[in-house]
Amino acid sequence: MNGADNLLDTLIAGGVEVCFANPGTSEMQLVSAIGNRDGMRAILCLFEGVASGAADGYARMTDTPALTLLHLGSGFANSMANQHNAMRAHVPLINLVGDHATWHQQYDAPLTSDVAAHAAIPSDWVRVSESPDDLAQAGAEAIQAAQTGAGGIATVIVPANHAWEDAKVAAEPLPVPRRTRVPEASIARAAAVLKSARTPALFLGGRALREPGLDAAGRIARATGARLLCETFSARLQRGVGRVAVERLPYFAEEALQALAGLDRIVFIGARPPVSFFAYPGKPSWLTPEDCETLELATVDEDVEQALLDLADALSAHEPANVVAPAPEPEVETPAATQHGPLTPLALGQSLSALLPENAIVTDEAATCGMALYPLTTQAAAHDWLSLTGGAIGIGLPLALGASVACPERKVVALQADGSAMYTVQALWTMAREQTDVTVVIMNNRSYAILNIELARVGAGTPTPKTLSMLDLSRPDIDWVEIARGMGVPATRATTPAEFHEQFEAAVARPGPALIDAVVTQELPG
Amino acid sequence: MNGADNLLDTLIAGGVEVCFANPGTSEMQLVSAIGNRDGMRAILCLFEGVASGAADGYARMTDTPALTLLHLGSGFANSMANQHNAMRAHVPLINLVGDHATWHQQYDAPLTSDVAAHAAIPSDWVRVSESPDDLAQAGAEAIQAAQTGAGGIATVIVPANHAWEDAKVAAEPLPVPRRTRVPEASIARAAAVLKSARTPALFLGGRALREPGLDAAGRIARATGARLLCETFSARLQRGVGRVAVERLPYFAEEALQALAGLDRIVFIGARPPVSFFAYPGKPSWLTPEDCETLELATVDEDVEQALLDLADALSAHEPANVVAPAPEPEVETPAATQHGPLTPLALGQSLSALLPENAIVTDEAATCGMALYPLTTQAAAHDWLSLTGGAIGIGLPLALGASVACPERKVVALQADGSAMYTVQALWTMAREQTDVTVVIMNNRSYAILNIELARVGAGTPTPKTLSMLDLSRPDIDWVEIARGMGVPATRATTPAEFHEQFEAAVARPGPALIDAVVTQELPG
């Protein structure tokens, strides 16, 4: 047995089952150790940002960490944007990053860089293995670190020789600490705040957005008249027919201010007071009304579901929620199916809402289109909605891949802006290889549409054609059907509501990956 | 005028002419300032690693910096792998990275990260703007920093409000320091070392590999009997018919050791003593023979061309080099053109050698295939050969893009491994948009072939099918013709030497981008 063998045995014994890998020479013993074991599924990704985004998607659906396997500092760098998103999603994730053999590092060979400096940026916990025997211990600690609180990024840096040199034994698993229960006094205080309020709200985030938490929140809302709000970009929100409906805070600061206006008390559970995504000249960053009293009852790392249950009990809120999304009125024919005009986000949303399979997982990196699709799917069949938590684009396709690996029995629908899809387009190939059950819908508006809006909002003056050329994805138009087929994913193009409806219906009816290039005509908001 | 306007005026006055951009909301005023000016060409890249790799390629061909325009820490992270390569290529490069407005940073909005920590990793110089008026001054300093020594990465971090707030004037240009001339005594010492040697060598790197330096090195070789060697991965090597031929140090350590065996004196000019790329169990990292005397005459940042001229003078080495690559024997018919067997690297190299246009620029990220193609093109028409300097894959297509923007009158040929091409495949779209004159040859061997070799070399045992699945790019095979067309680049597939010969001949005869999916059959070395 060498260090790599013991590390893998430790990780497998600790419940880690999947590795999203893009290895290089310095990781060959880790590759070999994975290849020699049944307990770890190996999924090759053709870019590291796919691996980290997929590990995030996997963790959002299982609450357990997947591995990434990355090649030195530059391999980690390629994964970093989606590590940032994972960090903001508060998910458990374990990175194994190879480095040069310890004695080789002094020579500053071409690929040498400061791996620990890379890892420190998005990681909650970083550990450099100190010896072949220490490597398994580092793995055991990583499992613990990744599952502390809501979850965090644990990175183990593996000098190549620690993987290949002889080592004694795997490490003993370490206890995973329970999430902190919010003290009774805090619960009582929150109950008092809600009772004394004229216009209260609960502002929910993290695991408060799963069914048990939402159910309790719905009962609290009924008992106190509190509005239920949630963060704009949540890691995982359970919604759709039969679920307690929550108002999602709008993205644009002006609309968010409006949504919060008039509230006199807000209790935050699993979320922090919201701020605007970007700063704008002369506009406030802080969105909570000045005269509103706020209480942060439970951080995202505490036991937010229990906090909601305890708060409901403290308020004797036993009546079931009355803000449950109802099933839509049955219609003889879905309107979208008969339309032959331009494919608007509205038409697309109508089809999605009608056709979304029960218990689907929706990944939303649809940017401007996504803002339109979210309210349109309030009455879709029950589903999980996964957002871009950290704002670093390029997560949608990897997230869908990882969610599908986690939940092979559920349909994943990836709502995907074209510009963001291009960032980690390599994910399509892994979807094809693993035959993941993902329907990708490219919202092809041929621009970074959000930036056309933001250009005006930041007061950057009247744009010249040259200015607009930097925000525009035409010349040439991207042919997503060809790109998808080039990576082994069957694909079709829809340019009318009727075409989209038919193609989406067919795609979700069939297992395996599929892509629809939805050429949307969009009137931009804002 | 605002800070962004003054910054752009400063950069344009300082000779910066091209910006490879992937902006976001926090860079909208910079986008607008570029859009409002004639002196800065704006080239949109659909992933930040394309922007940084293109800026590297541009700098290798012009010795002047291009700009990248990047979006906060995560945008910089996406560019980092190719920043690492640029750092190892010692090229001038200026990054403009937007950050949140200064007052917004305290709120830890979703995209907030430590931009300076990202920038510090590959940059030679980092500066955070301190005010709207300071921004232009930071730009002037960046131009100077990027052009000090051989060249370096200068990163300016731009809080959004410094770009949009009023500012007074552009900054005065700062002097670019001359590269240090190696002192006469050092030259004399090197001359003495070469004269006293039995088996001397010059080991060249950096700008020693341009024609003037090579010419002097060739004369020194003739006068002293020194062998001429160069670093394995050089930023830019001028070679081909009529040029002084240099032996490239082999990649694999065993072969490199053999290449250096028997030398008793090595003078390093623009390069450091070579080390193995990776460590291997039981093998040395240091490649210079133990009993060989070494002298580092000029670092890459000093005036290496002048050092070679001075050394030639000190040795009275006035006779022209006799190690010039001769023109190939004329043949009635090129052998490759008549072959209908499998497309091997040998056949491919023969066609390349025969058909490479005069004064072409070759970018080499062909990995295992590239090792075969390099010696086969020794007698090709004079050309520049650009290598992967830092080992972080995903540079080839961006490098070709940037080199073509720098030299629109020259044909660029991108020799590109399939695995590496996938990393920054988005570069194809920008090639199509800018109609760059690049012929891309995908060496499609459907695997990370180099890793199959390295697996054995690091002693990782007999691979299982699962192990090999992590190194293999089949299931599904990638269809590069469809991917290229999807991004607007005309493409064909070659599976025999005759097909490749005909397609390559046609592609280089026509201006504009083209891609050949060369399905190669390869016997692996090592």
Side-chain angles (χ1 to χ4, degrees), chain A residues 22 37 40 104 423 466, chain B residues 22 37 40 285 423 466:
Chain A
N22 188 289
R37 278 164 179 75
M40 182 69 69
H104 193 65
Y423 264 55
K466 185 172 164 189
Chain B
N22 189 289
R37 279 163 179 74
M40 183 69 70
S285 295
Y423 265 55
K466 185 172 165 188

Side-chain angles (χ1 to χ4, degrees), chain A residues 21-26 28-48 69 71-72 74 77-78 80-81 84 87-88 100-101 103-104 107-114 117-118 121 160 164 233 251 272 275-283 285-286 389-393 419 422-426 429 432-433 448 450-451 454-455 458-464 466-483 485-488, chain B residues 21-26 28-48 69 71-72 74 77-78 80-81 84 87-88 100-101 103-104 107-114 117-118 121 160 164 233 251 272 275-283 285-286 389-393 419 422-426 429 432-433 448 450-451 454-455 458-464 466-467 469-483 485-488:
Chain A
N22 188 289
T25 297
S26 40
M28 283 299 107
Q29 265 82 9
L30 294 167
V31 168
S32 191
I34 293 168
N36 290 335
R37 278 164 179 75
D38 287 332
M40 182 69 69
R41 180 169 171 193
I43 297 179
L44 177 61
C45 300
L46 301 191
F47 183 70
E48 290 88 347
L69 177 59
H71 185 45
L72 295 101
S74 293
N78 285 332
M80 272 172 81
H84 173 84
M87 183 256 283
R88 295 279 175 180
H100 287 310
W103 71 80
H104 193 65
Y107 295 117
D108 195 35
L111 250 178
T112 305
S113 65
D114 186 342
H118 288 80
I121 293 176
W164 74 52
F233 299 108
Y251 171 75
R272 292 180 313 167
V275 295
S276 69
F277 205 89
F278 291 106
Y280 301 94
K283 290 178 187 160
S285 296
W286 185 259
T389 48
I393 64 172
M422 192 55 108
Y423 264 55
T424 44
V425 60
Q426 307 90 349
W429 181 85
R433 175 178 268 203
Y448 290 116
I450 185 79
L451 296 184
E454 297 284 33
L455 192 66
V458 299
T462 308
T464 66
K466 185 172 164 189
T467 300
L468 293 175
S469 76
M470 286 178 265
L471 315 179
D472 151 47
L473 300 177
S474 67
R475 298 178 302 116
D477 289 340
I478 297 167
D479 187 327
W480 282 97
V481 173
E482 283 193 298
I483 290 175
R485 288 180 185 162
M487 298 198 198
Chain B
N22 189 289
T25 297
S26 41
M28 282 299 107
Q29 266 81 9
L30 295 167
V31 168
S32 192
I34 293 168
N36 291 335
R37 279 163 179 74
D38 286 333
M40 183 69 70
R41 181 169 170 193
I43 297 178
L44 177 61
C45 301
L46 302 191
F47 182 70
E48 291 88 347
L69 178 58
H71 185 45
L72 295 103
S74 293
N78 284 332
M80 272 173 80
H84 173 84
M87 184 255 284
R88 295 280 174 180
H100 286 309
W103 72 78
H104 193 65
Y107 297 115
D108 195 36
L111 250 178
T112 305
S113 65
D114 186 342
H118 288 80
I121 293 175
W164 75 51
F233 299 108
Y251 171 76
R272 292 181 311 168
V275 295
S276 69
F277 206 89
F278 290 105
Y280 301 96
K283 291 181 186 158
S285 295
W286 187 257
T389 49
I393 66 171
M422 193 54 109
Y423 265 55
T424 44
V425 61
Q426 307 90 348
W429 181 85
R433 174 178 268 203
Y448 291 116
I450 186 79
L451 296 184
E454 297 285 33
L455 192 66
V458 298
T462 308
T464 66
K466 185 172 165 188
T467 299
S469 76
M470 284 179 264
L471 315 179
D472 152 46
L473 301 178
S474 67
R475 298 179 302 113
D477 289 339
I478 297 168
D479 187 326
W480 282 98
V481 173
E482 283 194 297
I483 290 175
R485 288 180 185 163
M487 298 198 198

